[in-house]
Amino acid sequence: MIVTTKELFQQAYGKYAIGAYNINNLEQTMGLFQGNVDSKAPFIVQLSKGARSYTHKRMLETMMQTAAEIFPEAVFAVHLDHGDEASCMDCIDSGVYSSVMIDASHEELEKNIEITKRVVEAAHAKGLVVEAELGLLKGVEEDIKSDGHVFTKPSEAEYFVKQTGVDSLACAIGTSHGAFKFAGEQKLRFDILEDIQKLLPGFPLVMHGSSSVPAEEVARINAAGGKINGASGVDASQFLGAAKLGVTKINIDTDGRLVWCRVHREFFRDHPEEFDLRGPGKVFIPEYAKFIAAKNVLLGSAGQLDEVRAALKK
Ligand code: G3H
Ligand code: 13P
Ligand code: ZN
């Protein structure tokens, strides 16, 4: 069943975070749905602009509708990740997405407000909800590069939310996208979340760039011929602390890519004579499902499905 992120956040707020997983293809879709159903977790499927051009955007939409039929137990939102105004409008008109992210965080505050407001108006008119972003994550967000963190300012967050009527807000607190998040020790600015929560009690916040980049996963990739050096990620034991401070959505893409990379490198190392794509695919789908289920335990969303379903019936 496709629901809005708002419906999921109402249940999760202050208790746990919903996993928002980026996917690009069929194997990830199958593993994602299986893993969430196995762990009885509500979840968010994130489709980026990159994903929508890699696997045609209409193909992804059809896959989401079909997955809802194949997995009738699944309760999930279909969300555009890091959209611009044009991609948001396209998703709003698709009839499949239940949520879009307008990322105008690289713009001046007032311009960000102006763009976000237009998307919120169009989305709300069709029953969709909107995530926006304030502050900049270090690194690359889609095709926009930022050399340093610009942490979200709590007073600006309050102003922005009130001006735009947005439904959730991605905040920059020191995470970044990709596999190379911290040079030394990880430093996350939970004090910023605390201050925002005081100004916007009950308002859902979002943490991007939250992959953990497990050392053992990277070691397996490198042992099978990879060359990923100096990678590091977010300590997953921080997730529930963030959830208490109003973070209801935690975004994970990189860790799933690492699972894909490990499975395929090991498969072809161990089966050099193989060339059927279904060989590694058959290993990947259950491995990805296992990865999703384990992540949901860390997020606290595992086991919440019955309660969410009951609340949706009311
Ligand atoms: O925030 C970025 C996500 O990890 C999506 O990555 O734009 O390469 O699909 P992508
Ligand atoms: P990671 O690169 O840490 O997985 O972050 C993904 C993300 O924030 C997608 O919007
Ligand atoms: Zn992101």
Side-chain angles (χ1 to χ4, degrees):
M1 183 193 347
I2 299 177
V3 299
T4 64
T5 47
K6 188 174 185 167
E7 291 165 295
L8 300 180
F9 296 162
Q10 274 163 357
Q11 300 306 309
Y13 190 90
K15 293 181 282 189
Y16 60 90
I18 312 276
Y21 300 105
N22 289 73
I23 56 122
N24 289 269
N25 68 9
L26 186 66
E27 284 79 6
Q28 275 185 310
T29 304
M30 292 306 283
L32 175 69
F33 278 74
Q34 193 62 58
N36 283 299
V37 166
D38 288 348
S39 59
K40 288 184 165 293
F43 62 105
I44 298 166
V45 187
Q46 300 211 114
L47 305 169
S48 70
K49 281 188 287 168
R52 283 161 48 83
S53 74
Y54 172 72
T55 299
H56 194 282
K57 59 189 181 180
R58 300 293 170 232
M59 179 66 84
L60 286 175
E61 287 160 17
T62 306
M63 277 163 57
M64 293 303 104
Q65 288 170 314
T66 306
E69 283 172 31
I70 299 172
F71 298 91
E73 317 91 303
V75 175
F76 63 103
V78 182
H79 174 79
L80 170 68
D81 189 31
H82 294 285
D84 52 20
E85 196 169 348
S87 54
C88 282
M89 296 306 180
D90 187 59
C91 292
I92 290 167
D93 288 339
S94 70
V96 176
Y97 285 76
S98 56
S99 172
V100 293
M101 176 189 190
I102 172 68
D103 183 358
S105 57
H106 49 282
E107 303 281 2
E108 298 273 314
L109 178 65
E110 291 303 328
K111 181 92 181 159
N112 187 352
I113 290 174
E114 195 187 301
I115 298 168
T116 301
K117 242 171 139 170
R118 282 200 294 269
V119 172
V120 168
E121 247 166 56
H124 286 181
K126 292 211 167 166
L128 284 82
V129 295
V130 180
E131 172 185 332
E133 179 168 331
L134 208 51
L136 286 173
L137 273 67
K138 201 169 131 193
V140 182
E141 289 194 336
E142 287 281 347
D143 41 3
I144 295 144
K145 195 172 182 306
S146 152
D147 293 333
H149 298 290
V150 179
F151 296 113
T152 307
K153 296 185 186 70
S155 58
E156 265 184 24
E158 185 192 21
Y159 175 70
F160 183 89
V161 166
K162 293 194 171 151
Q163 290 295 311
T164 57
V166 77
D167 302 283
S168 61
L169 185 68
C171 300
I173 61 158
T175 64
S176 56
H177 292 111
F180 307 94
K181 299 189 194 298
F182 307 102
E185 244 181 66
Q186 79 161 56
K187 279 197 192 80
L188 295 186
R189 295 282 311 275
F190 273 34
D191 58 308
I192 294 176
L193 295 177
E194 234 175 289
D195 290 346
I196 296 176
Q197 194 185 37
K198 276 183 204 141
L199 295 170
L200 294 167
F203 186 79
L205 305 177
V206 179
M207 228 166 92
H208 281 246
S210 300
S211 278
S212 296
V213 195
E216 40 315 345
E217 193 75 303
V218 174
R220 281 178 74 173
I221 289 170
N222 288 345
K227 260 195 193 147
I228 301 176
N229 299 315
S232 77
V234 172
D235 179 354
S237 69
Q238 304 260 25
F239 289 167
L240 288 177
K244 280 206 181 76
L245 297 173
V247 171
T248 50
K249 172 174 179 277
I250 291 193
N251 287 12
I252 293 165
D253 184 359
T254 298
D255 283 350
R257 294 178 178 191
L258 293 174
V259 174
W260 183 92
C261 182
R262 182 250 303 165
V263 165
H264 286 78
R265 280 201 177 279
E266 288 185 349
F267 184 87
F268 287 112
R269 176 197 62 192
D270 299 342
H271 305 279
E273 72 293 353
E274 274 290 350
F275 53 86
D276 183 348
L277 62 92
R278 291 172 298 194
K282 279 184 203 161
V283 181
F284 173 74
I285 294 172
E287 276 298 296
Y288 194 67
K290 224 167 74 185
F291 152 76
I292 295 287
K295 206 55 109 174
N296 289 338
V297 171
L298 297 164
L299 293 164
S301 62
Q304 302 287 347
L305 197 55
D306 292 343
E307 214 169 296
V308 168
R309 277 190 164 281
L312 286 168
K313 275 195 193 135
K314 280 184 197 158

